[in-house]
Each structure stands twice: as C-alpha cells, then as structure tokens.
C-alpha cells in the first residue's frame, strides 16, 4: 500500500464522541506505522494550511476521550465549496505527501469530501501547470483516498443505523425532559419541548419514547389529519381525565403538517393554551443537546469507527469507490459513500415533496416500529376490549438483581397488553411473591412514571424456585387463573423458568406461555447481545471513572477499579474501552502472575516516561486470589517511588440510577414483542417457553429448552460472546506509544 501519510479532520456541526474517533484514527495509524496529521478547523484549516495542519503523535490524543466537542476544531468553509479553495487544499495535502483523508462530519462534509476526491487528479495537474508542485509529486499521489465517518447528533445519515453523537444527545434530551416532567407534574402543567432534527425526527421520536412524552411531531410523519390540533387537544384532555398530572409534547425542529407548513412551538403553544384553557410552557433545548461529555456508547462507537476507517483506508485501492464506515446490527460495516449520500438526499427530498410515505419507508424498520409503538404508548387510556374477545390474564414479574429499565419494560408490557384488551397482573417480589400469591391487577395509570424509574417497582429478588416453591407457584398460577407469564430479569429468572419448564410433567399449571426478557446489568444472558440495564451500568461506571481520574491531581497514580459483571467481562472491557484504561482483567481470561508482572513493568515504564495517571479495570470475579486489594498492594510495592496505586470498588452505584435512553428504548421494544408473542401463543394454545433477544440486528425468540445449550451453566454466561472480538481495538488504544513499548511478548487479551 502506497499511502504512508494520512490526515484526519472534523467538519460540520460538532458531536460528542468526535474526539474518540480522532484518537482512534491517530493511534491506529501510528500502530500501523503510518504518519498522521490532524487538520484543525475542518475544511477551513485544510484550505489555510500552515499551522492548521499538524503531525500527531500517540500522546497528542491522550486524555481527550471524555471531552465533548472536537479538540481539533470544526468550521464551515465557504472557500472549500469553490474549486479555488479545493485547489489550495490539495496543495496543502500533497506538499506533506498526504493522499489519504478521513473526514468525520455530516452529510455536507462527506459530500464535499467526495467532490474533492473526484477533482484531485485535475487539481494536481493544475498545480503542476502553475509550477506549484512538480510532475514527480503528481505522479506519486495520483489519487486521494477518502474514508468518511458520520458525526452528527441528528442521526440523519442513511445506511448507518446510528451516528456519532446521537446517543449523547438522547442522554441530554432524556435528562432535560425527566426534569421538566417532575416540575410539570407538580403544577399539573403542559410543556412543549423542542429538540434538534431538521430533516430527521430521530431525536424527537426516540426522546419521546424514552421519556413517556404524550405527543410528538416529526418531519417524516406529520399528523395524518387536517384538524390535528383539535385531536391533540382532545387526547391531552382525555389524559387529564384519566388521571395524568402533566403533558409533554415533543417537537422536532423540522416538524411540518401534511401540507408542508412548518409547525413551530409558538403556534403549538397557542393551540394548547386555547384548547386546554391553561398556561403552557415551552423549552427549546438548543445547543445543550450537542454539548457535554460523550456517553459510553458514543465513545466506543467512535473508537470502533475510527479504527475501522484507518484499516479501510490502508486497504483501499485507488479505483475503489469512497467508503463511509457505519454501524449495522451492532457490527461495524463499510458502506459505499455515494449510495448513502444519495439515500440521505432522497429522504430530505421526500419530506420537501410532502411524500411522507416515502420518507417513512426510507427510514429503518426500527424507526417505523418505534413510531408505531409510540402511538400506542401516548394513548390516554387503552382501546376497550372488542365485544366477545377472549381476555387473557398475563402476569408480569421481575426476577434477579434490579436492572435499570425493568420498570420501563414493565410499563410498556402492561400498557400494550391492556390496549389489546387483556388483563395485566403485577407480581411483587419475584418468584417468592408469585409463590405467596402477591399478585394484583394493574391498570393504565398503575404504571405512570415507570418509564424513567430505576430499580424495580414490582420488587425483585434472586430467589430461584425449587422443591415446594414449585407446588406453591403452580397453585398461585391456578388460583389467579394466569394464562401467560412475562418474566423480566437476569440469570436467576432464566434459571427459574428453565427449572419450571423441566417440571412441567409434574405441574401441569406450568403449561402456559412464558417469555423471559433479558434484564441484567451483567449482560450475561444467552440469545441476546445486550440485556436491559447494561448500558446504564456502563454509563454509571464511565461517569464514576471520569471523576476518579480527575481526582488524581499531580501524583503519579494507578487506579485499580473493580466493576460488576459476575462471570461476564462485558462491563469491564467496555468501560476500559470507554475510559482509556491501560489494562482490563476479565473472568473469561483470568489473571496470571506473569501477566501482572508485565503489567507492573508496562505501568512503571509509562510513568517513567511522564505518564501521570494509570487505570486498570478488574471484573469482580476475574480471579478469586488476585483480588483488587491484592493487585493494588502488588502495584504499590512494585511501583516503589515511581507510582502509587489506589483501589476503587464501584459497588452498587453501578446498578442504580435512572435507566439510560438506550435501555428505555430497548426495554420498550422488547416488551412490545414479548406481549405480542404471549397473546399470540395464548390464542393458539401454544405453551412453548422462550427467551427473547437481539442478535445480529434481529429480535429472536429462543426455546427455553435451549438454555443449557446456549449458556455455560457453570460460568453463568452465554457460550458465545460477540464483544470479545473488540479486545483487539481496546488493547491497541491502551498501548504505550510504539517507540516506548517494551520488548516483551504479551499474548494476553489478544
Ligand atoms: P451537520 O449537518 O451535521 O452540521 P454537515 O457536515 O452536513 O454537518 P455542512 O455545513 O453541510 O455540515 O458542511 C460542512 C462543510 O462541508 C461546509 O462548510 C463546506 O466547507 C463543506 N461542503 C459541504 N457541501 C459541500 C459541497 N457540495 N462541495 C464542497 N464542500 C462542501
Ligand atoms: Mg448536514
């Protein structure tokens, strides 16, 4: 491969996570022995050149992972829109021998990159003609290779499921709407919240889903009636009659009606004030949505994208179509840039042309389903049951340690079940409560406020039924005429249901449809790449580590942070990736004395070279002997006067707190599918027990009888764990600069 010098820039609107992408690009390039330049201030800097283009080393991107915005700056450049400007840009790059460019930005920035790439050969011959470069330079760099990464909080780029910054923006929106909801409820008020998204309703829709908002207006799918103002007012009034204390209406910046007329918050406020006869307040969230520290997800997403962008750039042949690196079904993928730009443009055009069906069709199925689900969730009361319809009695229980998002799932299940005409029962305190008959009927308003509530409102524990509990549970199922069970929980839930299903011959009452919904911060459940609660826990860990790192001050110190996860290293590894830890210890790999020795040497070397802070993350069960305190003592002793060590055992703060937007959205989606499945099974007399999960981007139900085949029962984790593949990148990012690396052979974690 000819490319030996590459450059990276950030352009367009900034987005939290861009720094993580820049860091990954720089470190991956250096690790592959490629020189890498950062272009400051986007295309503006590219046109200006000079000190705007700087060579980066390993440490120039240290300590930026947790920072919002982009440290290399971004700008809009009118000059780059002109050929003259791009000619200057080409000169600046080719003089440094750069013919590979990674552009992190929105659709506009990537369009610009594509134009630049196409013009490159002709720009270079112009430069030869004018004598600014010689023919040799031209022939050495006949092509410019471009790889794009989408950084945009709007998530408005077709082809990739998510873009850098979207998750962080949802964090801001969710926190703001939660806060507004509590004041709105106190005063029995209606609030309008305006969120970003000119051509894309993603933030508005998912923000509404995550906060339990009562009405949402998005550009892709305007209200389908002309008198929508009246319908909206009637819906909100019905909500008040049903006992709701507050109303939240979320509007996307680009909201419009069927005729393409802009719907502004002022107009909506007027309509609501007149219709409801009360004061209505508006909050425009504005740039708060863009700012602040990136979420754990955005850091990891951006890191993976940055890594892959460099690999793709180095593998690209001059004749290849330009690529953009995206995310689909939880995997990093390479996409043809032009196709994506074209599809993105089509959505904007469809909205402009008022072809809303097309605009919606161009969005992902996830987006369409989310919109469908939201329409049910915002009802004030459920549809009444159809006359003569068989009403099933569906019980919901939580089992295992509390996982943030359990309540969100419970709320969605109850409302969707009621809306379909069925009777929803809440079981308190897990299997124990079920055995004791702690069961009561739940109504639409019984679950109000559960969308954002951490912990378990129904009550949960880790009791797994056995022996005479089985008999008591069978009795309770019969006495309460339970037709189906939805179990929201972790390992103990699965274990318990597996045991019950194996006892079906002895207890005919267990022959009812049962579904387990994965909810555990440990992310250790088979059949699902992610379980509810894991994202919240990861953010809790990352927040805590950000603070711990800041507390270090001037001393040279290594923190040994212990995180939860039982026998699954997911939280340990993903938090290491998101915080830039030097080392992570996983139960999947264990810890050896030799590894600890090498780690001591690596840390010592790093501190001797000027490092001020070290961070290692240890899963709680990584090794029973080499405990957190043992490792700390070892580091303290061996670090001598070079560095000291401190433990930080994060404990239960990891499983507390409000669920993250991702967990809320995922919980709502999963609950919908589970309830639909149970109703279908009840109607068809199918009593198969199963567990649901998200795998390769698809929601799949697995037969409960496959539990032992898919899970390692001794280690209490899935036999296959997709995230272990990310170790390569996590290890690369944490290394010492190539010229500082020790001559040791380390085969761990690779
Ligand atoms: P976002 O929409 O998320 O803010 P964006 O990347 O779409 O980000 P734009 O303002 O559209 O933001 O584009 C950023 C910069 O990219 C522009 O200022 C300009 O320098 C360059 N650019 C955009 N479109 C073109 C184009 N067609 N040709 C050349 N340069 C372009
Ligand atoms: Mg744009």
């Amino acid at each position: 491969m000819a490319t030996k010098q590459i450059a990276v820039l950030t352009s367009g609107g900034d987005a939290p996570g861009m720094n993580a992408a820049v860091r990954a690009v720089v470190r991956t390039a250096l690790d592959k022995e490629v020189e890498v330049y950062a272009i400051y201030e986007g295309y503006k800097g590219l046109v200006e050149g000079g000190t705007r283009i700087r060579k980066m080393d390993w440490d120039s991107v240290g300590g930026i992972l947790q920072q919002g915005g982009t440290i290399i700056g971004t700008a809009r450049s009118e000059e780059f829109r002109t050929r003259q400007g791009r000619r200057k840009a080409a000169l600046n790059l080719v003089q440094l021998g750069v013919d590979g460019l990674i552009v992190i930005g929105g659709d506009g920035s990537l369009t610009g990159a594509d134009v630049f790439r196409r013009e490159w050969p002709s720009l270079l011959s112009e430069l030869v003609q004018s004598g600014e470069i010689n023919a040799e330079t031209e022939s050495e760099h006949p092509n410019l290779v471009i790889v794009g990464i989408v950084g945009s909080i709007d998530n408005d780029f077709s082809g990739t499921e998510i873009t850098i910054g979207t998750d962080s923006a949802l964090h801001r929106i969710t926190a703001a709407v939660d806060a507004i909801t509590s004041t709105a409820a106190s005063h029995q008020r209606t609030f309008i919240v305006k969120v970003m998204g000119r051509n894309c309703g993603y933030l508005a829709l998912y923000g509404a889903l995550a906060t339990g908002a009562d009405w949402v207006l998005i550009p892709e799918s305007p209200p389908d009636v002309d008198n929508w103002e009246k319908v909206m007012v009637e819906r909100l009034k019905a909500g008040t009659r049903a006992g709701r204390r507050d109303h939240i209406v979320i509007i996307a910046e680009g909201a419009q009606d069927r005729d393409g007329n802009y719907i502004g918050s002022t107009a909506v406020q007027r309509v609501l004030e007149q219709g409801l006869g009360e004061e209505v307040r508006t909050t425009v969230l504005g740039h708060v949505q863009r700012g602040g520290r990136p979420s754990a997800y955005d850091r990891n997403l951006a890191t993976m994208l940055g890594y892959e962008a460099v690999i793709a750039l180095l593998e690209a042949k001059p004749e290849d179509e330009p690529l953009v690196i995206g995310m689909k079904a939880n995997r990093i993928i390479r996409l043809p840039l032009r196709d994506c730009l074209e599809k993105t443009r089509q959505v904007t055009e469809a909205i402009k042309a008022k072809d809303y069906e097309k605009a919606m069709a161009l969005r992902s199925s996830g987006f369409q389903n989310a919109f469908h689900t939201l329409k049910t969730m915002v009802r004030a009361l459920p549809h009444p049951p159809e006359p003569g319809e068989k009403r099933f009695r569906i019980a919901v229980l939580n089992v295992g340690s509390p996982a943030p998002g359990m309540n969100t799932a419970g709320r969605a299940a109850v409302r969707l079940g009621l809306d379909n005409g069925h009777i929803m029962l809440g079981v308190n305190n897990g299997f124990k409560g079920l055995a004791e008959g702690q069961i009561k009927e739940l109504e639409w308003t019984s679950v109000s406020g559960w969308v954002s509530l951490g912990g378990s409102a129904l009550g949960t524990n880790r009791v797994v039924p056995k022996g005479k509990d089985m008999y008591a549970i069978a009795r309770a199922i019969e006495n309460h005429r339970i037709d189906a069970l939805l179990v929201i929980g972790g390992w103990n839930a699965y274990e318990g249901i597996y045991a019950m299903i194996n006892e079906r011959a002895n207890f005919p009452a267990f022959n009812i449809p049962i579904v387990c919904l994965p909810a555990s911060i440990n992310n250790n459940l088979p059949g699902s790449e992610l379980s509810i609660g894991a994202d919240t826990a990861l953010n809790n860990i990352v927040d805590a580590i950000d603070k711990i790192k800041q507390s270090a001050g001037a001393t040279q110190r290594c923190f040994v942070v212990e995180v939860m996860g039982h026998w699954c290293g997911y939280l340990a590894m993903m938090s290491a990736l998101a915080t830039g830890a030097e080392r992570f210890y996983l139960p999947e790999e264990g810890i050896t004395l030799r590894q600890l020795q090498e780690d001591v040497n690596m840390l010592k070397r790093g501190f001797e070279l000027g490092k001020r802070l070290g961070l290692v993350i240890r899963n709680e069960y990584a090794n029973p002997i080499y405990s957190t305190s043992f490792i700390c003592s070892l580091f303290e002793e061996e670090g001598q006067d070079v560095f000291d060590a401190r433990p930080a055992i994060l404990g239960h703060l990891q499983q507390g707190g409000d669920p993250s937007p991702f967990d809320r959205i995922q919980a709502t989606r999963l609950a919908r599918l589970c309830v639909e499945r149970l109703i279908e099974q009840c109607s068809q007399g199918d009593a198969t027990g199963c567990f649901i999960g998200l795998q390769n981007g698809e929601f799949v139900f697995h037969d409960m009888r496959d539990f032992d085949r898919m899970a390692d029962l001794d280690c209490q984790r899935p036999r296959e764990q997709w995230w272990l593949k990310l170790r390569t990148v996590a290890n690369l990012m944490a290394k010492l600069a190539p010229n500082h690396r020790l001559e040791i052979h380390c085969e761990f974690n690779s």
Side-chain angles (χ1 to χ4, degrees):
M1 179 62 234
T3 305
K4 281 283 177 273
Q5 282 90 16
I6 67 169
V8 57
L9 62 82
T10 51
S11 170
D14 63 315
M18 279 183 164
N19 285 328
V22 171
R23 170 179 178 268
V25 166
V26 169
R27 293 204 169 166
T28 307
L30 294 174
D31 194 64
K32 307 288 170 210
E33 295 173 4
V34 170
E35 279 186 0
V36 54
Y37 292 85
I39 297 158
Y40 285 69
E41 322 308 335
Y43 288 131
K44 192 163 174 280
L46 186 58
V47 173
E48 284 174 18
T51 57
R52 299 278 195 214
I53 306 181
R54 293 178 221 162
K55 198 190 251 184
M56 303 298 270
D57 63 28
W58 196 267
D59 293 325
S60 35
V61 289
I64 64 168
L65 202 49
Q66 67 276 18
Q67 291 178 27
T70 161
I71 60 146
I72 60 173
T74 176
R76 310 215 187 246
S77 162
E78 280 313 310
E79 226 188 326
F80 191 73
R81 288 180 187 272
T82 66
R83 186 168 166 97
Q84 197 51 28
R86 292 191 289 274
R87 188 169 172 271
K88 285 193 204 165
L91 178 62
N92 288 328
L93 287 186
V94 80
Q95 277 174 338
L96 294 168
V98 173
D99 54 12
L101 181 62
I102 293 175
V103 176
I104 307 169
D107 55 342
S109 309
L110 299 180
T111 305
D114 190 38
V115 172
F116 189 38
R117 170 189 172 275
R118 261 181 286 165
E119 285 179 353
W120 178 268
S122 64
L123 290 172
L124 258 53
S125 43
E126 257 182 64
L127 292 169
V128 174
Q129 276 160 25
S130 63
E132 285 162 279
I133 60 171
N134 57 33
E136 199 187 329
T137 310
E138 183 192 18
S139 65
E140 275 170 10
H141 306 285
N143 295 289
L144 175 71
V145 182
I146 294 276
V147 178
I149 296 177
V150 193
S152 160
I153 65 162
D154 294 347
N155 202 24
D156 57 357
F157 197 83
S158 298
T160 180
E161 280 173 3
I162 193 119
T163 57
I164 297 176
T166 307
D167 186 62
S168 303
L170 273 179
H171 273 260
R172 302 298 166 266
I173 293 169
T174 306
V177 178
D178 281 358
I180 289 170
T181 303
S182 67
T183 162
S186 309
H187 294 274
Q188 303 207 27
R189 239 180 216 152
T190 299
F191 269 85
I192 297 166
V193 181
K194 186 159 185 170
V195 303
M196 285 187 168
R198 260 165 294 161
N199 297 310
C200 183
Y202 190 93
L203 291 178
L205 174 58
Y206 285 79
L209 208 55
T211 56
D214 305 291
W215 200 263
V216 68
L217 292 160
I218 58 171
E220 297 91 337
S221 185
D224 52 6
V225 287
D226 283 329
N227 64 339
W228 64 270
E229 292 98 333
K230 191 157 170 265
V231 174
M232 173 176 67
V233 168
E234 284 312 315
R235 258 318 161 71
L236 298 192
K237 276 186 176 165
T240 310
R241 286 196 297 276
R244 229 189 246 158
R245 291 188 57 86
D246 60 279
H247 296 299
I248 305 284
V249 173
I250 297 188
I251 312 185
E253 262 179 320
Q256 55 184 53
D257 67 14
R258 281 205 300 178
D259 301 322
N261 302 310
Y262 167 74
I263 304 179
S265 51
T266 325
V268 177
Q269 182 167 353
R270 212 175 312 120
V271 167
L272 290 175
E273 285 187 333
Q274 277 165 9
L276 301 172
E278 61 177 48
E279 259 183 87
V280 173
R281 299 291 160 91
T282 301
T283 304
V284 179
L285 291 185
H287 284 78
V288 164
Q289 295 163 85
R290 254 189 213 293
R293 291 183 311 126
S295 66
Y297 182 84
D298 271 330
R299 297 181 197 192
N300 289 348
L301 171 71
T303 301
M304 303 308 301
L305 294 175
Y307 170 83
E308 185 65 15
V310 175
I311 304 295
L313 187 77
L314 298 180
E315 283 173 9
K317 290 181 209 67
E319 64 277 14
D320 290 351
E321 281 288 296
L323 293 173
V324 59
I325 311 298
M327 162 70 91
K328 195 160 194 169
N330 215 11
R331 304 287 185 278
I332 301 297
I333 49 166
R334 298 177 187 183
L335 297 154
L337 174 62
R338 289 211 196 120
D339 273 15
C340 298
L341 287 171
E342 172 57 25
K343 286 209 187 83
T344 306
R345 213 177 42 78
Q346 281 177 14
V347 179
T348 313
E349 275 175 9
I351 294 172
K352 225 183 255 163
K354 292 174 259 175
D355 188 350
Y356 302 115
E357 235 167 74
K358 183 170 179 202
M360 257 329 235
L362 286 166
R363 292 278 177 240
S364 67
S365 60
F367 189 95
Q368 295 166 29
N369 288 335
F371 192 62
H372 179 55
T373 304
L374 188 85
K375 279 191 179 165
T376 310
M377 303 306 289
V378 301
R379 295 186 61 81
L381 284 173
H383 285 102
E386 304 277 325
E389 181 189 346
K390 173 130 180 54
R391 303 183 72 194
F392 301 114
R393 295 168 64 83
I394 303 172
V396 181
L397 68 157
N398 293 161
V399 175
S401 302
M406 276 183 161
N407 295 327
T408 321
R411 166 186 179 267
V414 168
R415 292 206 167 163
L416 294 164
L418 291 173
D419 194 50
N420 278 290
H422 303 289
I423 297 159
M424 300 303 293
L425 305 167
V427 180
N428 296 123
N429 306 321
F431 287 122
K432 190 162 176 289
L434 182 58
E436 291 167 3
Q438 298 178 35
I439 301 163
K440 60 174 189 293
E441 202 173 319
L442 296 174
E443 291 167 16
W444 194 263
T445 47
S446 317
V447 293
S448 296
W450 283 20
V451 72
S452 59
L453 191 66
S456 160
L458 286 171
T460 185
N461 56 55
R462 297 174 59 181
V463 173
V464 177
K466 46 182 174 299
K468 63 180 189 319
D469 307 332
M470 291 290 187
Y471 177 73
I473 289 176
R475 281 289 302 271
I477 290 175
E478 282 162 1
N479 289 344
H480 290 266
R481 292 175 286 116
I482 294 172
D483 294 309
L485 267 185
L486 170 61
V487 189
I488 302 167
W491 188 267
N492 307 110
Y494 283 55
E495 229 185 349
I497 294 302
Y498 183 62
M500 278 171 60
I501 281 176
N502 287 332
E503 288 281 352
R504 277 183 165 172
N506 299 325
F507 300 98
F510 296 165
N511 282 304
I512 53 170
I514 306 176
V515 177
C516 288
L517 187 158
S520 164
I521 68 161
N522 299 334
N523 200 29
N524 60 347
L525 298 165
S528 195
E529 289 172 8
L530 292 165
S531 56
I532 306 299
D535 182 62
T536 308
L538 188 57
N539 278 292
N540 289 341
I541 293 168
V542 167
D543 287 348
I545 292 177
D546 282 355
K547 288 183 187 135
I548 289 169
K549 280 168 84 174
Q550 276 180 350
S551 79
T555 50
Q556 298 199 308
R557 177 167 289 174
C558 177
F559 287 102
V560 183
V561 177
E562 181 183 304
V563 301
M564 287 180 167
H566 285 187
W567 288 274
C568 170
Y570 178 80
L571 289 176
M573 202 201 76
M574 296 308 261
S575 60
L577 193 60
T579 55
E582 269 76 30
R583 173 65 76 198
F584 45 90
Y585 302 119
L586 310 180
E588 286 83 356
E589 300 171 323
I591 309 176
T592 62
L593 183 60
R594 183 165 152 234
Q595 181 184 3
L596 287 173
Q597 269 172 340
E598 290 186 357
D599 292 347
V600 166
N601 292 339
M602 180 260 304
L603 284 165
K604 239 172 136 172
R605 168 116 175 141
F607 282 110
E608 276 163 358
L609 289 164
K611 175 194 255 315
R612 282 173 44 200
L613 186 79
L615 177 64
V616 304
I617 298 181
R618 177 183 173 279
N619 158 286
E620 57 187 351
Y621 295 171
N623 183 301
I625 309 299
Y626 300 144
S627 64
T628 300
S629 76
F630 173 88
I631 294 176
C632 239
S633 310
L634 178 83
F635 285 3
E636 184 79 20
E637 175 65 17
E638 296 294 320
Q640 294 161 344
D641 49 3
V642 181
F643 72 100
D644 60 19
R646 291 287 184 278
I649 297 175
L650 298 186
H652 284 79
L653 73 81
Q654 294 166 80
Q655 73 189 32
D658 302 339
S660 68
F662 178 86
D663 277 334
R664 297 183 196 190
I665 291 160
Q666 205 65 354
T668 305
R669 279 186 179 161
L670 289 171
R672 163 174 212 111
L673 292 168
C674 289
V675 168
E676 283 171 355
R677 163 99 179 189
L678 288 173
I679 295 169
E680 193 187 301
Q681 280 188 282
C682 284
S683 325
Q684 297 174 351
D686 165 11
T688 317
C690 51
F691 50 98
I692 191 175
L694 185 61
Q695 270 179 313
N696 296 318
E698 308 224 336
F699 291 103
V700 187
F701 286 97
H702 292 279
D703 193 317
M704 200 71 216
R705 285 167 293 190
D706 287 335
F707 179 58
D708 61 339
R709 190 178 56 77
M710 293 173 65
D712 180 335
L713 299 190
D714 294 327
C715 296
Q716 299 196 354
R717 64 183 176 230
R719 287 189 196 276
E720 270 179 49
Q721 302 193 99
W722 64 277
W723 52 268
L724 282 168
K725 284 205 281 290
L726 311 183
R727 279 179 300 187
T728 323
V729 182
N731 285 315
L732 189 160
M733 297 300 147
K735 282 182 187 172
L736 292 174
N739 54 332
H740 292 156
R741 284 177 199 161
L742 294 163
E743 283 307 310
I744 50 171
H745 178 66
C746 181
E747 72 232 15
F748 311 105
N749 291 154
S750 55

